[in-house]
PDB file of all heavy atoms in Angstrom:
ATOM      1  N   GLN G  13      55.105 -36.352  -1.831  1.00 97.00           N
ATOM      2  CA  GLN G  13      54.318 -36.598  -0.637  1.00 97.00           C
ATOM      3  C   GLN G  13      53.347 -35.428  -0.280  1.00 97.00           C
ATOM      4  O   GLN G  13      52.233 -35.661  -0.012  1.00 97.00           O
ATOM      5  CB  GLN G  13      55.192 -36.904   0.558  1.00 97.00           C
ATOM      6  CG  GLN G  13      54.482 -37.417   1.768  1.00 97.00           C
ATOM      7  CD  GLN G  13      53.692 -38.768   1.474  1.00 97.00           C
ATOM      8  OE1 GLN G  13      54.227 -39.632   0.789  1.00 97.00           O
ATOM      9  NE2 GLN G  13      52.503 -38.849   2.000  1.00 97.00           N
ATOM     10  N   GLU G  14      53.941 -34.266  -0.195  1.00 96.00           N
ATOM     11  CA  GLU G  14      53.179 -33.038   0.212  1.00 96.00           C
ATOM     12  C   GLU G  14      52.171 -32.522  -0.747  1.00 96.00           C
ATOM     13  O   GLU G  14      51.208 -31.945  -0.370  1.00 96.00           O
ATOM     14  CB  GLU G  14      54.111 -31.953   0.597  1.00 96.00           C
ATOM     15  CG  GLU G  14      55.075 -32.247   1.782  1.00 96.00           C
ATOM     16  CD  GLU G  14      54.309 -32.252   3.141  1.00 96.00           C
ATOM     17  OE1 GLU G  14      53.154 -32.004   3.151  1.00 96.00           O
ATOM     18  OE2 GLU G  14      55.019 -32.587   4.145  1.00 96.00           O
ATOM     19  N   VAL G  15      52.459 -32.739  -2.058  1.00 97.00           N
ATOM     20  CA  VAL G  15      51.600 -32.138  -3.124  1.00 97.00           C
ATOM     21  C   VAL G  15      50.846 -33.186  -3.949  1.00 97.00           C
ATOM     22  O   VAL G  15      49.624 -33.272  -3.853  1.00 97.00           O
ATOM     23  CB  VAL G  15      52.388 -31.204  -4.026  1.00 97.00           C
ATOM     24  CG1 VAL G  15      51.537 -30.671  -5.123  1.00 97.00           C
ATOM     25  CG2 VAL G  15      53.097 -30.098  -3.312  1.00 97.00           C
ATOM     26  N   LEU G  16      51.620 -34.040  -4.529  1.00 97.00           N
ATOM     27  CA  LEU G  16      50.965 -35.064  -5.424  1.00 97.00           C
ATOM     28  C   LEU G  16      50.098 -36.077  -4.687  1.00 97.00           C
ATOM     29  O   LEU G  16      49.069 -36.517  -5.231  1.00 97.00           O
ATOM     30  CB  LEU G  16      52.045 -35.727  -6.287  1.00 97.00           C
ATOM     31  CG  LEU G  16      52.876 -34.793  -7.145  1.00 97.00           C
ATOM     32  CD1 LEU G  16      53.945 -35.593  -7.934  1.00 97.00           C
ATOM     33  CD2 LEU G  16      52.052 -33.958  -8.085  1.00 97.00           C
ATOM     34  N   LYS G  17      50.526 -36.459  -3.536  1.00 97.00           N
ATOM     35  CA  LYS G  17      49.780 -37.470  -2.762  1.00 97.00           C
ATOM     36  C   LYS G  17      48.898 -36.909  -1.680  1.00 97.00           C
ATOM     37  O   LYS G  17      48.264 -37.649  -0.887  1.00 97.00           O
ATOM     38  CB  LYS G  17      50.747 -38.536  -2.151  1.00 97.00           C
ATOM     39  CG  LYS G  17      51.431 -39.380  -3.159  1.00 97.00           C
ATOM     40  CD  LYS G  17      52.317 -40.489  -2.585  1.00 97.00           C
ATOM     41  CE  LYS G  17      52.884 -41.359  -3.656  1.00 97.00           C
ATOM     42  NZ  LYS G  17      53.758 -42.397  -3.078  1.00 97.00           N
ATOM     43  N   ASN G  18      48.781 -35.612  -1.639  1.00 96.00           N
ATOM     44  CA  ASN G  18      47.961 -34.987  -0.555  1.00 96.00           C
ATOM     45  C   ASN G  18      46.520 -35.264  -0.892  1.00 96.00           C
ATOM     46  O   ASN G  18      46.048 -35.156  -2.081  1.00 96.00           O
ATOM     47  CB  ASN G  18      48.244 -33.441  -0.533  1.00 96.00           C
ATOM     48  CG  ASN G  18      47.879 -32.812   0.753  1.00 96.00           C
ATOM     49  OD1 ASN G  18      46.835 -33.041   1.287  1.00 96.00           O
ATOM     50  ND2 ASN G  18      48.737 -31.873   1.202  1.00 96.00           N
ATOM     51  N   GLU G  19      45.702 -35.543   0.133  1.00 95.00           N
ATOM     52  CA  GLU G  19      44.278 -35.813  -0.031  1.00 95.00           C
ATOM     53  C   GLU G  19      43.488 -34.500  -0.317  1.00 95.00           C
ATOM     54  O   GLU G  19      42.464 -34.528  -0.924  1.00 95.00           O
ATOM     55  CB  GLU G  19      43.731 -36.508   1.143  1.00 95.00           C
ATOM     56  CG  GLU G  19      44.296 -37.948   1.302  1.00 95.00           C
ATOM     57  CD  GLU G  19      43.742 -38.645   2.517  1.00 95.00           C
ATOM     58  OE1 GLU G  19      42.763 -38.122   3.193  1.00 95.00           O
ATOM     59  OE2 GLU G  19      44.141 -39.786   2.763  1.00 95.00           O
ATOM     60  N   LYS G  20      44.055 -33.366   0.167  1.00 96.00           N
ATOM     61  CA  LYS G  20      43.375 -32.124  -0.149  1.00 96.00           C
ATOM     62  C   LYS G  20      43.857 -31.514  -1.471  1.00 96.00           C
ATOM     63  O   LYS G  20      44.978 -31.787  -1.881  1.00 96.00           O
ATOM     64  CB  LYS G  20      43.810 -31.116   0.991  1.00 96.00           C
ATOM     65  CG  LYS G  20      43.334 -31.481   2.388  1.00 96.00           C
ATOM     66  CD  LYS G  20      43.783 -30.364   3.362  1.00 96.00           C
ATOM     67  CE  LYS G  20      43.321 -30.694   4.757  1.00 96.00           C
ATOM     68  NZ  LYS G  20      43.798 -29.680   5.712  1.00 96.00           N
ATOM     69  N   PRO G  21      43.109 -30.634  -2.000  1.00 96.00           N
ATOM     70  CA  PRO G  21      43.680 -29.799  -3.143  1.00 96.00           C
ATOM     71  C   PRO G  21      44.787 -28.958  -2.602  1.00 96.00           C
ATOM     72  O   PRO G  21      44.805 -28.609  -1.448  1.00 96.00           O
ATOM     73  CB  PRO G  21      42.504 -28.906  -3.549  1.00 96.00           C
ATOM     74  CG  PRO G  21      41.234 -29.538  -2.979  1.00 96.00           C
ATOM     75  CD  PRO G  21      41.693 -30.238  -1.747  1.00 96.00           C
ATOM     76  N   VAL G  22      45.845 -28.788  -3.409  1.00 97.00           N
ATOM     77  CA  VAL G  22      47.029 -28.053  -2.985  1.00 97.00           C
ATOM     78  C   VAL G  22      47.308 -26.939  -3.935  1.00 97.00           C
ATOM     79  O   VAL G  22      47.431 -27.082  -5.156  1.00 97.00           O
ATOM     80  CB  VAL G  22      48.301 -28.977  -2.954  1.00 97.00           C
ATOM     81  CG1 VAL G  22      49.456 -28.217  -2.400  1.00 97.00           C
ATOM     82  CG2 VAL G  22      48.033 -30.290  -2.129  1.00 97.00           C
ATOM     83  N   LEU G  23      47.387 -25.686  -3.328  1.00 97.00           N
ATOM     84  CA  LEU G  23      47.785 -24.498  -4.052  1.00 97.00           C
ATOM     85  C   LEU G  23      49.278 -24.446  -3.963  1.00 97.00           C
ATOM     86  O   LEU G  23      49.844 -24.377  -2.823  1.00 97.00           O
ATOM     87  CB  LEU G  23      47.094 -23.293  -3.477  1.00 97.00           C
ATOM     88  CG  LEU G  23      47.562 -21.912  -4.011  1.00 97.00           C
ATOM     89  CD1 LEU G  23      47.238 -21.786  -5.493  1.00 97.00           C
ATOM     90  CD2 LEU G  23      47.082 -20.813  -3.211  1.00 97.00           C
ATOM     91  N   VAL G  24      49.969 -24.491  -5.116  1.00 98.00           N
ATOM     92  CA  VAL G  24      51.446 -24.332  -5.131  1.00 98.00           C
ATOM     93  C   VAL G  24      51.814 -23.001  -5.688  1.00 98.00           C
ATOM     94  O   VAL G  24      51.454 -22.630  -6.801  1.00 98.00           O
ATOM     95  CB  VAL G  24      52.100 -25.531  -5.896  1.00 98.00           C
ATOM     96  CG1 VAL G  24      53.608 -25.425  -5.857  1.00 98.00           C
ATOM     97  CG2 VAL G  24      51.650 -26.843  -5.268  1.00 98.00           C
ATOM     98  N   ASP G  25      52.712 -22.257  -4.984  1.00 98.00           N
ATOM     99  CA  ASP G  25      53.226 -21.002  -5.411  1.00 98.00           C
ATOM    100  C   ASP G  25      54.701 -21.208  -5.748  1.00 98.00           C
ATOM    101  O   ASP G  25      55.457 -21.515  -4.885  1.00 98.00           O
ATOM    102  CB  ASP G  25      53.089 -19.972  -4.187  1.00 98.00           C
ATOM    103  CG  ASP G  25      53.764 -18.626  -4.504  1.00 98.00           C
ATOM    104  OD1 ASP G  25      53.983 -18.355  -5.724  1.00 98.00           O
ATOM    105  OD2 ASP G  25      53.910 -17.856  -3.616  1.00 98.00           O
ATOM    106  N   PHE G  26      54.985 -21.145  -7.063  1.00 98.00           N
ATOM    107  CA  PHE G  26      56.391 -21.200  -7.518  1.00 98.00           C
ATOM    108  C   PHE G  26      56.893 -19.771  -7.459  1.00 98.00           C
ATOM    109  O   PHE G  26      56.350 -18.926  -8.144  1.00 98.00           O
ATOM    110  CB  PHE G  26      56.437 -21.784  -8.947  1.00 98.00           C
ATOM    111  CG  PHE G  26      56.135 -23.269  -9.048  1.00 98.00           C
ATOM    112  CD1 PHE G  26      54.790 -23.705  -9.164  1.00 98.00           C
ATOM    113  CD2 PHE G  26      57.128 -24.178  -8.930  1.00 98.00           C
ATOM    114  CE1 PHE G  26      54.517 -25.054  -9.301  1.00 98.00           C
ATOM    115  CE2 PHE G  26      56.833 -25.521  -9.076  1.00 98.00           C
ATOM    116  CZ  PHE G  26      55.530 -25.936  -9.187  1.00 98.00           C
ATOM    117  N   TRP G  27      57.998 -19.515  -6.724  1.00 98.00           N
ATOM    118  CA  TRP G  27      58.433 -18.138  -6.478  1.00 98.00           C
ATOM    119  C   TRP G  27      59.980 -18.156  -6.400  1.00 98.00           C
ATOM    120  O   TRP G  27      60.633 -19.180  -6.396  1.00 98.00           O
ATOM    121  CB  TRP G  27      57.891 -17.634  -5.233  1.00 98.00           C
ATOM    122  CG  TRP G  27      58.460 -18.370  -3.986  1.00 98.00           C
ATOM    123  CD1 TRP G  27      58.169 -19.601  -3.614  1.00 98.00           C
ATOM    124  CD2 TRP G  27      59.394 -17.841  -3.130  1.00 98.00           C
ATOM    125  NE1 TRP G  27      58.869 -19.940  -2.511  1.00 98.00           N
ATOM    126  CE2 TRP G  27      59.675 -18.868  -2.209  1.00 98.00           C
ATOM    127  CE3 TRP G  27      60.013 -16.635  -3.049  1.00 98.00           C
ATOM    128  CZ2 TRP G  27      60.616 -18.730  -1.125  1.00 98.00           C
ATOM    129  CZ3 TRP G  27      61.019 -16.445  -1.979  1.00 98.00           C
ATOM    130  CH2 TRP G  27      61.206 -17.490  -1.003  1.00 98.00           C
ATOM    131  N   ALA G  28      60.510 -16.950  -6.271  1.00 97.00           N
ATOM    132  CA  ALA G  28      61.935 -16.728  -6.016  1.00 97.00           C
ATOM    133  C   ALA G  28      62.041 -15.474  -5.203  1.00 97.00           C
ATOM    134  O   ALA G  28      61.249 -14.526  -5.286  1.00 97.00           O
ATOM    135  CB  ALA G  28      62.691 -16.580  -7.287  1.00 97.00           C
ATOM    136  N   SER G  29      63.154 -15.393  -4.378  1.00 96.00           N
ATOM    137  CA  SER G  29      63.317 -14.274  -3.373  1.00 96.00           C
ATOM    138  C   SER G  29      63.563 -12.962  -4.153  1.00 96.00           C
ATOM    139  O   SER G  29      63.236 -11.892  -3.600  1.00 96.00           O
ATOM    140  CB  SER G  29      64.477 -14.600  -2.450  1.00 96.00           C
ATOM    141  OG  SER G  29      65.688 -14.814  -3.183  1.00 96.00           O
TER     142      SER G  29
END
Side-chain angles (χ1 to χ4, degrees):
Q13 189 62 41
E14 296 288 356
V15 177
L16 302 180
K17 292 185 176 177
N18 202 316
E19 293 180 8
K20 296 179 179 180
V22 185
L23 171 65
V24 179
D25 177 14
F26 289 89
W27 69 286
S29 59

